[in-house]
Amino acid sequence: MKIKLVKCCMIMIITPLLCGCFNNEYNLLSGKYYGFSTLFDVRLYNGEESMLKQIENYIDLYDEYCDPYHGNSAKHFTYMLNNTNEVIKVSDEYFALIESALNYQELTQGYFNLLTFELNELWKNALQNATIPSENDINSVIKDIDESSLILDRQALTIQRLGKAKIDFGAIGKGYCINQIVSQLKNNSFEYYLINGGDSSIALGKKPYVDDYTVGIQDVSNAYFLASDCFITTSSIYKQGVEIDGKIYSHIVNPFNGSAISNYDSVIILSDLDAGLLDAFSTAFSLMDLSKIQTYELEYDLKLVLIKQHEIVYISDGLEVMYH
């Protein structure tokens, strides 16, 4: 069996390049905060320190909400739900997070599935040992997913997990968190910002004195595009990819058949829609064929870049990719 780790230089999929100078009229405030196992780079132009603190609090809060591994906080609702089939009282924010995730699941026709923790762990543990899970193990976990569900009571703010399958927010957590942050900024009429959640979930506001940010595509040599006032989300096999016998397996796992092989190496989406939904779309599009992706592109007015073997194989009309 031939095994090769995918080169780590491909981990960064897109990187905003902050070019241009700003005079004193636009004071830059910035902060770096750790959450969701990644580093958030936050930049506010003419913001206030209290805004940075509020953003840090959002990152901490939703990191705790989405964490399936730790149960040492009263806010670790995912851990609680994953370790019991009893009814759990949750916060209003967590209930809204679960509701949104189940809505994303419906909108992606199940390609994003909230109850895939054990399936994702099966593949992650196997790939860490440069192996592939057995078909029996995969089928057993998929059976658990099919036979499991969540019971929600909005009035009581309670959730009950039925069955063996467990909750995993890994595909949407950062995007949902960033969406909450941007909603708060816009509620306060704040327009000039950049929030980078580990290069896979990015929020761009307006940029002072320059129309757009320059966004580099790391998977394609010297490629970039211009963007502002939108969310950018990506999924890529290079995040945790392992090549075994000429095939690249990754953390993007098909919940229907348990395969960890994607149709596209990288998916980039630009839109002003809910960033959590865009995260779900990027995961789903990695597993869909082009005709199905294009139905979503048209219905939701998305701008897409699809990449295979470091080459762009599809670009939406109206999105121009340029080269240095």
Side-chain angles (χ1 to χ4, degrees), residues 7-141:
K7 293 181 180 178
C8 61
C9 65
M10 306 312 299
I11 289 176
M12 296 179 63
I13 308 305
I14 56 179
T15 305
L17 307 174
L18 302 185
C19 305
C21 299
F22 311 108
N23 65 27
N24 292 332
E25 183 180 346
Y26 287 93
N27 180 44
L28 172 63
L29 289 178
S30 63
K32 295 185 184 296
Y33 311 107
Y34 190 78
F36 300 90
S37 301
T38 194
L39 189 66
F40 283 71
D41 181 3
V42 178
R43 307 186 185 204
L44 306 177
Y45 301 96
N46 274 5
E48 300 176 359
E49 291 289 346
S50 61
M51 299 172 72
L52 283 178
K53 184 60 179 177
Q54 188 176 43
I55 290 172
E56 182 182 15
N57 290 341
Y58 269 110
I59 294 170
D60 288 343
L61 176 65
Y62 283 97
D63 183 40
E64 285 187 287
Y65 280 165
C66 296
D67 184 357
Y69 299 106
H70 302 96
N72 55 341
S73 162
K75 297 173 184 175
H76 281 135
F77 295 120
T78 299
Y79 179 88
M80 296 178 200
L81 285 164
N82 281 351
N83 286 277
T84 185
N85 288 122
E86 296 180 3
V87 175
I88 299 293
K89 175 82 171 182
V90 300
S91 68
D92 186 68
E93 296 95 342
Y94 187 83
F95 196 94
L97 169 62
I98 288 279
E99 280 188 318
S100 295
L102 292 175
N103 184 48
Y104 303 157
Q105 182 170 317
E106 182 178 352
L107 292 175
T108 60
Q109 301 176 41
Y111 279 93
F112 161 73
N113 189 307
L114 184 58
L115 294 174
T116 55
F117 177 80
E118 296 291 357
L119 181 61
N120 294 333
E121 288 291 291
L122 179 67
W123 271 102
K124 183 172 76 173
N125 293 333
L127 293 179
Q128 284 178 346
N129 295 307
T131 62
I132 300 172
S134 72
E135 186 174 343
N136 285 340
D137 286 344
I138 291 173
N139 289 337
S140 175
V141 174

Side-chain angles (χ1 to χ4, degrees), residues 1-5 127 130-132 242-249 261:
M1 179 181 288
K2 183 179 179 183
I3 300 168
K4 182 172 69 174
L5 293 177
L127 293 179
T131 62
I132 300 172
V242 176
E243 184 177 327
I244 301 176
D245 292 336
K247 295 180 180 179
I248 298 179
Y249 299 85
I261 298 178

